[in-house]
Amino acid sequence: MTETRFEPRIVGFFCNWCSYRAADLAGTARIKYAPNVRVIRLMCSGRVDPTFVLKAFACGADGVMIAGCHPGECHYLNQNHKTMRRHALLRHTLRALGVADERLRLQWASAAEGAQLAQAVDEMVAAVRAAGPLQWPRHLREDAPGLDGLQRAAQARDRAAGAPHGEARA
Amino acid sequence: MSAASKHKFAMYWAAACGGCEISTLAIDDKILQVAEAFEIVFWPCVMDGKTSDVEALADGEIAVCLWNGGIRNSEHEHMARLLRRKSQVLVAFGSCAHEGCIPGLANLNTREQIFDTAYRDTPSTENPDGVRPQVEFQAPEGLLTLPVFYDTLKTLDQTVPVDYYLPGCPPEAERIWDALVAILEGKLPAPGSVIGSDSTVCEECGRKRNEKRITAFKRNWQVLPDAETCLLEQGLVCCGIATRNGCGARCPQVSSPCIGCYGPPNGVADYGARLMSGLASVIESSDPKEIERIVSEGLPDPVGTLYRFSLAHSLMRRAAKPQGARP
C-alpha cells in the first residue's frame, strides 16, 4: 500500500477587485499551481473579520490565506490597511495558541499578478505541508485517562433516566 | 405561600471562585424575598445539602437552577447533567459558566502542564515522591476514586443545553435581581438568550470620545490616565468596545480599563475576534513594521488580553496540544 501524501486544506479569502482577478488570470493563463486553496471571494480583504479566520481553523483548515490589493490600491481607499493590522493581531494571537505563523498568510496581488499569486499559493502549500496537519478538532478531543469508563457510566445513567434534554450543543 | 407550592430553586458552583454567590447575596435584604418566593432545595455554598437530595427529586422539579463555574472535571459534568435533568430552567450564571472566565485560561496549557505546576513546580510545593492525583486508588479499605481532571475546561453550554445566560464576573447584583424578577414574573426572553442589555460598555461610559488614533498601547502601570477622555484614546487597551454593558461601566469610571468580563454583545461568535477588529481600526499606522511594533510591545500576552474571560468559549477554545500529548 502506498502512503498517501498529506494534502493541506487551505481556505483563501480573496478580494473581488485584485486578488480574485489575479486567481482568474492565473487560470486563463493556464498557470499550474497547487489546488489546495479553497477560495472564498469577498468584496474586500477588509471584509475579513478575524472570526472568519478563526472559524476556518476551528473547523479544521490547515492554513488560511488572506489576499487583497496592494496597500494604496484598495478599491475602498484604505480598508486593506485594516487587514494588515488585523493580520498582525491574528498572527500574534494564533502564535500564542500554538498555530505556526506559516499557516496564516497575507498576500497582496493586483489583478495583473496571476503568476505571483500562483507562486504564493505554491509557497504556502509547501510550507503548510512541511508543518503537517493542524486538524484543530483533534486538539479538543478529551483524552484524560480514566475518562471513557466514567463517561459511559454517566451516559448510561442519563439513558436509564430517560434524559429529557437531549445532547449538548457542540 | 406554603413550602409545597413554592417554586424550587437551586444554585451550584463548579470551577468558580465563589464571587457569583457573593454577588447574589449582595442583593441584600431582597434575598429574603427570594427565600419567600422560592424553596431553596440545593445551594452548597450557603446551606447543607447532598447530591442524593437532588437525585431524589423528580425530573424538572427544580424551577430554576443558577449554575456558576466551568466544567473542569468529570464531577462537574456529572452535576451539570443531573441538575439539567432536574431543572426546568438552567441558567449559565456568571462568566465561568458562560465563557469559562479565568479558569478557562488554563486551556493555554495541557493537563500535564497544569499538574506540573500544581504538584511539582511551585516553590511552596513539597512533593518528593511526585504524587499526582489518581482516578482510582486501591486502599486496604477499598477502592478510592477521584473525578477525572479534563484536558480542556468546557463551558456549561458545551456540556448540557442551557436556557439562559447571565454574564459578568460576577454578574452585578442589580442584574441578578432583574433576572430573578423576570423569572418570578414569567417575563423571560426567548430561550437561549442572554438576560441583559445589548449594547456595549462604551454606551454607559461617561468619558469623552474623539477620533481614536493609537500609536502605542500602554499597560496600566505605564500611564496615569486623565479622568475625562476615553481610556482607549489614551492608549490603554480598554475592552469596552467589544463588551456587553450591564455593569454601569464601573471600571472605566475609576480609570481602570474594561477587561471584558461581561463578554460580547449579541451576535458575536468570538469575543477576541471582535476586539481584534476594533483595535485594528484604531491603530494609527499603515506600515507593517510599525504595526508589528505596536502589537508586540502593546499586547505582550495577546490571549490573556483579548480572551481574558472567553478563551474556553472562543472558536479555538484552547491552545494546541503538543503532538503525542496523550499521556
Side-chain angles (χ1 to χ4, degrees), chain B residues 3 22 52 62 90 107 123 128-130 163 177 181 183 197 199 202 242 247 253 255 275 277 292 301 310-311:
Chain B
I22 293 171
S52 54
I62 298 171
L90 179 66
N107 287 356
D129 299 332
D163 298 306
W177 179 246
V181 169
I183 290 166
S197 59
S199 55
C202 297
C247 57
Q253 262 178 30
S255 295
L275 194 51
S277 249
E292 175 63 26
D301 175 15
S310 58
L311 179 61

Side-chain angles (χ1 to χ4, degrees), chain B residues 270-291:
Chain B
D270 189 287
Y271 176 86
R274 177 74 155 202
L275 194 51
M276 274 184 239
S277 249
L279 294 179
S281 302
V282 299
I283 294 174
E284 172 77 348
S285 173
S286 298
D287 169 26
K289 281 205 183 93
E290 175 71 359
I291 294 170

Side-chain angles (χ1 to χ4, degrees), chain A residues 21-97:
Chain A
R21 289 171 191 213
D24 229 11
L25 179 64
T28 49
R30 307 204 169 214
I31 298 168
K32 281 193 179 166
Y33 65 105
N36 301 60
V37 178
R38 275 71 160 169
V39 177
I40 297 170
R41 175 166 60 162
L42 302 172
M43 290 309 283
C44 178
S45 62
R47 178 65 185 91
V48 180
D49 187 312
T51 310
F52 302 170
V53 175
L54 296 172
K55 188 164 185 184
F57 280 122
C59 290
D62 299 301
V64 173
M65 178 183 269
I66 303 168
C69 308
H70 285 276
E73 295 173 11
C74 178
H75 191 78
Y76 305 99
L77 304 178
N78 57 5
Q79 296 312 302
N80 53 1
H81 294 179
K82 277 184 192 155
T83 315
M84 207 189 284
R85 299 176 210 137
R86 285 179 187 163
H87 172 252
L89 285 160
L90 267 169
R91 184 161 36 77
H92 278 268
T93 304
L94 286 167
R95 197 186 286 164
L97 292 174

Side-chain angles (χ1 to χ4, degrees), chain B residues 227-257:
Chain B
E228 272 153 31
T229 322
C230 166
L231 292 173
L232 187 54
E233 281 167 33
Q234 299 187 58
L236 289 165
V237 183
C238 182
C239 304
I241 48 172
T243 307
R244 184 188 295 271
N245 68 357
C247 57
R250 287 189 177 206
C251 296
Q253 262 178 30
V254 294
S255 295
S256 185

Side-chain angles (χ1 to χ4, degrees), chain B residues 92-95 98 165-172 194-196 244 261-263:
Chain B
F93 186 94
S95 179
H98 178 207
Y165 302 85
L166 201 62
C169 180
E172 290 295 332
V194 172
I195 304 176
R244 184 188 295 271
C261 76
Y262 256 69

Side-chain angles (χ1 to χ4, degrees), chain B residues 46 62 75 83 86 100 136 142 178 185 200 247 278 315 321:
Chain B
V46 301
I62 298 171
E75 185 207 14
L83 283 164
K86 302 295 179 188
E136 291 181 351
D178 293 347
E185 295 180 348
T200 61
C247 57
L315 286 164
K321 281 193 214 172

